[in-house]
Amino acid sequence: MTDASTPTPLAYPPAPREDLVEDLHGRAVADPYRRLEDAQDPATVAWSAEQDALYATYRGRVEARAADGPFGTAALRDRLGTLLGAGFVSAPAWRGERRFVSRRAGDQEHAVVVVVEPDGAGGERERVLVDPLRLDPAGTTTLDAWQPSKEGHLLAYQVSSGGTEESVLHVLDVATGELVDGPVDRARYSPVAWLPGGEAFFYVRRLAPDLVPADEQQYHRRVWLHRLGTSPEQDVEVFGAGLDRTNYYGVSVSRDGRWLIVSASAGTAPRTDVWIADLTADGGPEAPVFTEVAVGLDAEVGAWVGRDGRLYVHTDLDAPRGRVCVTDPTTPGVEHWTTLVAQDGTAVLEDVALLDGGGDDTTPVELVVSWRRHSVSEVTLHDPDTGERRPGDAGTLPLPGLGSISGLVTRPDGGTSLWFSYTDHVTVPRVHRYDAATGDLTLWATPPGAVPDLPDMRARQVEVTSADGTTVRAFVLARADRLDGDGRPLAPAPTVLYGYGGFQVSLDPAYSASTLAWVEAGGVYVVANLRGGGEEGEEWHRAGMRGAKQNVFDDLFAVAEHLVAQGWTTTDRLAVWGGSNGGLLVGAAVTQRPDLWAAAVCSAPLLDMVRYQRFGLGVTWTEEYGDADVPEELDWLLGYSPYHRVVDGTAYPAVLFTVFEGDTRVDPLHARKLAAALQAATSSDPDERPVLLRRETGVGHGGRALSRTVALSAEQLQFVADRTGLLDALDAATAEEGAA
């Protein structure tokens, strides 16, 4: 019996369940919550509504408990807004004297595209060209991509609505802001490669739905030539027929308009085929004749023609950490490649840029190379003819700290200047400029908003030995006053362990409002660099994919056990957090090692690995995970599929699933099914370790409005703070301050 001051115990709503067991290649595979795959099924609709009510009840408790502290909803959202208040600015895309940037002021819901140009009086003026909020005041339209013409007088941009990422392409006149072309639909994940003059461009578009099977309408991309002012239905198909239906295509045109380069990757496979065509030869842009650069190789290849007329190739062929090669575009095959920058022993080659005299002077004067060494960026300077690194200090560009850079941006018409963005755990992204003529490195642009004040925080990189003896690294971020003189913890603290471990994605040092809010409040935040990512090159990636996927989870467990053993935290104060492929990581962590965690945040996850390829973009990921239609690969998947590893009577940690109903990459059905399975199986008290499902409409897997980002982050942080003891610590500190 309860009184008015005692909250009603949390109770899980019954889920639609059936005794469904399928024979898959001789394996008996249970799927009791299959009905929850159908979001429109009345039983799923009713169950989802009850989950909403359950989560609302839990939220009410947390909000009441935290109301007066720094992790109260209003205070936390305000702090996250402040931490994001600096906004964002990208490196410039130059077109003559015009430059284009993506920029978000601190209070803007979405980034906008801005053009900056001479004002005729010795100064500059700027204009907003594309503002998603003007297109949709509700804030559910996102800007997916943009690309100025080679002369900068036109801008192609792509937008999508409701989180679908189904981009629609438009073209506007930069001088007037008026639309001059589009809309062109079915342009999801499409690059735009302008021809000189701006009368036409190459792009990627899916075939019309009536030309492909109903369950394949999101595949079957082709490269097309579009001429402005004509219907997209009149576009000329120039590449892709007869190739893999899951191919993603890249397309670029050299600055002089002569060379067209097309790349193709089957889904997310770590292999890229590349072709080149001379647009001045017979056939022209409408019927280019392609020559193979690299086709059918087990390697990733990126190619471009420099201003000096040579073909440059960035590849991991025979160099899993990357190398740069060079050849003549008329003889582009592998047998003609000459290595310009060789593979490094421990660093991954990320990007290269050539600087020259500008204008008619196309002779390179500097080769700039960016690397990632154990997740920390380096930039080196090389002789452009030999590839040799400049001697001594002249061969290294000093960066502001131990952080990450993105992009090496040059002017298309050449010159000695280069731009890149830099960030680290406590530094908002800023744009820096390097001038090869003077050797100067300067801060060139900062975000438009106020940079927040932060307490003294320290980041350190730790090394951990995984189950098979592999060294795994992780960044540990904590407040300085919680550490001793050697940088070790004074006492165990509530800790978040974040990971991803897949698709060659690297978790490098980066500014994060959620991370900083957690650490500022007294918690420890850890980012693990697991196998499956790209931190150590392609071999590192492949050591965590397909049949080796368990290595990723073992790496995570090793980091967690290290944090406990070294006194950073305890298992009752440790939370694991991840999204998308990182959601799969969290699902595996919860079902394989429930003893390690007090809580888990599992966002937009993959969790049913037997049926994942039937939904969303799943079929494009079989090279990463394995194909459930192949018996041996089904065994890999069943070995770790979180949905299939739930055991009745297990004391599972508290779990918060966050899903987005507009998600067209990872279907929310995964979270529904595992949430139902865990709620039915766990022996943990729902009031102590609840399993909860947070649903959000009008957004998808990718970009979202600032206010939605803040709201989601606040609720996730409150959940882990509640379940790891951080709220208790904050309450105690507040009480102590009050007594003083």
Side-chain angles (χ1 to χ4, degrees), residues 216-586:
E216 297 181 5
Q217 291 179 0
Q218 58 189 321
Y219 311 122
H220 296 283
R221 290 172 169 80
R222 300 287 191 272
V223 178
W224 308 83
L225 174 68
H226 176 74
R227 294 198 176 276
L228 262 63
T230 65
S231 167
E233 307 315 311
Q234 297 176 302
D235 290 350
V236 179
E237 181 182 331
V238 300
F239 194 84
L243 300 182
D244 194 296
R245 65 188 172 100
T246 68
N247 271 358
Y248 292 108
Y249 294 104
V251 57
S252 63
V253 174
S254 59
R255 180 69 180 91
D256 60 8
R258 179 179 176 182
W259 300 102
L260 168 65
I261 295 178
V262 172
S263 63
S265 298
T268 58
R271 295 180 291 279
T272 313
D273 293 336
V274 180
W275 298 261
I276 189 170
D278 186 347
L279 297 179
T280 65
D282 292 344
E286 286 78 10
V289 178
F290 289 94
T291 301
E292 293 183 358
V293 177
V295 175
L297 305 176
D298 187 15
E300 295 201 72
V301 180
W304 67 98
V305 176
R307 277 186 17 101
D308 59 349
R310 299 198 295 176
L311 179 68
Y312 291 86
V313 180
H314 180 192
T315 183
D316 60 15
L317 179 66
D318 300 325
R321 292 182 182 271
R323 62 179 172 133
V324 176
C325 303
V326 66
T327 185
D328 190 288
T330 62
T331 55
V334 176
E335 67 274 16
H336 299 291
W337 296 359
T338 298
T339 297
L340 184 62
V341 181
Q343 175 178 235
D344 185 272
T346 57
V348 179
L349 198 158
E350 290 286 285
D351 198 4
V352 298
L354 283 162
L355 301 176
D356 58 35
D360 295 333
D361 183 2
T362 62
T363 302
V365 298
E366 193 82 278
L367 174 64
V368 185
V369 184
S370 68
W371 312 81
R372 183 178 60 247
R373 193 179 307 277
H374 306 320
S375 303
V376 177
S377 287
E378 299 176 2
V379 179
T380 55
L381 307 175
H382 300 248
D383 184 302
D385 294 320
T386 66
E388 291 296 320
R389 184 170 169 177
R390 304 291 189 192
D393 292 343
T396 302
L397 200 61
L399 298 179
L402 299 179
S404 310
I405 75 162
S406 57
L408 296 177
V409 178
T410 60
R411 288 179 177 264
D413 51 359
T416 60
S417 292
L418 171 145
W419 292 262
F420 61 85
S421 293
Y422 170 87
T423 184
D424 57 39
H425 291 108
V426 295
T427 304
V428 297
R430 300 173 179 180
V431 180
H432 296 259
R433 173 178 175 265
Y434 167 66
D435 187 345
T438 64
D440 292 337
L441 178 66
T442 56
L443 180 62
W444 191 77
T446 59
V451 176
D453 292 327
L454 294 171
D456 188 8
M457 299 183 187
R458 304 291 168 83
R460 63 180 299 178
Q461 194 175 47
V462 299
E463 294 185 357
V464 177
T465 302
S466 193
D468 63 354
T470 299
T471 298
V472 178
R473 295 173 176 83
F475 291 101
V476 181
L477 191 65
R479 246 173 44 192
D481 61 357
R482 302 301 175 97
L483 306 174
D484 65 17
D486 295 322
R488 299 185 179 279
L490 293 173
T495 297
V496 169
L497 173 55
Y498 183 88
Y500 189 80
F503 295 99
Q504 209 182 32
V505 172
S506 299
L507 298 185
D508 303 326
Y511 183 89
S512 164
S514 294
T515 299
L516 295 174
W518 179 261
V519 174
E520 188 175 53
V524 172
Y525 201 98
V526 183
V527 178
N529 298 132
L530 312 171
R531 278 177 284 186
E535 291 88 352
E536 304 293 340
E538 183 55 24
E539 289 179 345
W540 186 256
H541 172 215
R542 296 191 185 205
M545 60 183 281
R546 296 176 64 77
K549 189 67 178 176
Q550 184 61 40
N551 286 337
V552 184
F553 313 135
D554 290 344
D555 291 353
L556 180 80
F557 305 153
V559 174
E561 290 168 342
H562 174 87
L563 295 172
V564 173
Q566 295 298 311
W568 290 99
T569 192
T570 54
T571 56
D572 62 346
R573 303 182 203 184
L574 178 59
V576 61
W577 191 328
S580 193
N581 172 76
L584 168 61
L585 175 74
V586 171

Side-chain angles (χ1 to χ4, degrees), residues 55 141 179 186 192 300 317 367 482 721:
Y55 182 62
T141 293
L179 288 174
R186 307 195 303 274
V192 172
E300 295 201 72
L317 179 66
L367 174 64
R482 302 301 175 97

Side-chain angles (χ1 to χ4, degrees), residues 42 180 367 451 485 624 650 671 705 709 727:
V180 296
L367 174 64
V451 176
E624 182 77 16
T650 301
T709 297
L727 281 186

Side-chain angles (χ1 to χ4, degrees), residues 710-734:
V710 167
L712 173 63
S713 296
E715 292 184 29
Q716 292 170 324
L717 286 168
Q718 286 176 318
F719 174 78
V720 290
D722 177 39
R723 295 297 92 200
T724 62
L726 185 61
L727 281 186
D728 292 333
L730 292 172
D731 287 345
T734 300

Side-chain angles (χ1 to χ4, degrees), residues 26-43:
R27 291 95 171 142
V29 180
D31 190 358
Y33 299 104
R34 173 77 62 84
R35 194 169 175 183
L36 289 175
E37 290 181 354
D38 183 358
Q40 305 306 316
D41 185 302

Side-chain angles (χ1 to χ4, degrees), residues 65-130:
R65 181 180 169 202
D68 297 328
F71 261 44
T73 300
L76 183 54
R77 288 187 180 184
D78 183 67
R79 185 54 182 160
L80 289 169
T82 299
L83 290 169
L84 290 167
F88 167 80
V89 62
S90 71
W94 287 94
R95 298 295 186 269
E97 292 306 307
R98 277 179 171 157
R99 65 180 185 270
F100 299 80
V101 297
S102 177
R103 189 178 69 192
R104 184 185 66 79
D107 58 350
Q108 284 182 299
E109 290 282 11
H110 293 279
V112 300
V113 181
V114 175
V115 61
V116 184
E117 57 197 345
D119 62 4
E124 291 183 329
R125 63 183 176 188
E126 63 178 50
R127 292 176 289 120
V128 174
L129 294 176
V130 184

